[in-house]
Amino acid sequence: IGQPSAPGQPPAIGQRAAAMRDTADTAPLPLVGEEYRGRRRARRRAGRLNLRWFVVVGVVAVLSAAVAVPFLVAEPAASPSGSGSVPASATSTGATPPSTTSSEPVTTQAGIPVIVAPSVTPTPAWSLTLQAESVSNNALGGGAAKRGEVVDYLGNWPNRRQSGWLEFRHITVPEPGAEYQLRVALRYETYCGCSQRQLEVWVNGAHVETWSFTDPDPGVRGVTVTLGAGENTIRLTHPSSPSPAVDWIEIILP
């Protein structure tokens, strides 16, 4: 039985038996009972752990992207070179208004160039200022009197026989028939004991305006008048009320 078989013949019975024993020793044993169920549970736990890791990694990636997107999209606000931050006083946009004396383009904080026109005070085409106390081009009468740099007691004052008046005469203008702005500077120099003062403006014999004063300082009043060719006369007075003192008048052609 133990001898080898001849070439081309099937193996001997003893050799087949030995081969079967070797195969039986190396083949994996079938899993039974608790061992089999334990391995199945281990595989299920491993699968659940892998799934959880995938979920955690996905959530972390989404949160990281959500945090990073605003920083990537937002534009950094650059301050002007050497001037620090721009105060928000400006403008619909929150920038500092540029100087009104320059017409050069100014770049705002938003980077938009804005051309600001220079602020220019209109220069009148023609103007004339006359002082009330001057004797060359004016006249006064009635109860009016000069008091330093003003003419006072214009209008109707108590204990004065006549209403005081002041006239600016010999006024010639460059454009006859045009409209001019007449400005009159007024002051309170003498106490009148009245609740209100009034002053009438007459131009070339025609009444053009009546002013009433109740404020502590009458200030400067203005009215539009038409001046003609040749010499014009402006009269300041009031027939029944005391008037403020007159300092000067100004005639302006816009």
Side-chain angles (χ1 to χ4, degrees), residues 10-94:
I13 296 175
Q15 292 177 348
R16 288 198 300 270
M20 292 175 63
R21 284 195 303 270
D22 294 339
T23 303
D25 291 339
T26 58
L29 298 175
L31 300 176
V32 294
E34 290 298 328
E35 183 179 0
Y36 176 76
R37 287 192 292 272
R39 291 196 178 185
R40 290 188 60 186
R41 285 194 296 270
R43 285 196 296 269
R44 287 197 296 270
R45 283 197 298 269
R48 287 195 294 271
L49 288 175
N50 290 337
L51 180 60
R52 289 176 183 174
W53 274 111
F54 279 119
V55 172
V56 170
V57 171
V59 171
V60 171
V62 171
L63 292 177
S64 300
V67 172
V69 164
F71 293 97
L72 295 176
V73 174
E75 258 188 35
S79 298
S81 175
S83 61
S85 60
V86 179
S89 59
T91 166
S92 72
T93 62

Side-chain angles (χ1 to χ4, degrees), residues 152-215:
D152 204 357
Y153 298 111
L154 297 176
N156 190 353
W157 284 69
N159 302 323
R160 288 188 176 264
R161 297 180 179 179
Q162 295 177 327
S163 296
W165 53 266
L166 169 64
E167 284 187 354
F168 294 87
R169 301 173 176 176
H170 314 298
I171 300 173
T172 58
V173 293
E175 295 185 15
E179 290 187 341
Y180 293 80
Q181 183 69 22
L182 172 64
R183 301 174 68 240
V184 183
L186 304 161
R187 288 158 51 179
Y188 289 152
E189 291 292 326
T190 306
Y191 177 71
C192 68
C194 53
S195 60
Q196 187 182 68
R197 301 193 194 190
Q198 293 179 299
L199 180 65
E200 290 182 349
V201 180
W202 294 70
V203 176
N204 297 328
H207 174 260
V208 296
E209 184 68 278
T210 298
W211 292 321
S212 297
F213 308 91
T214 55
D215 298 333

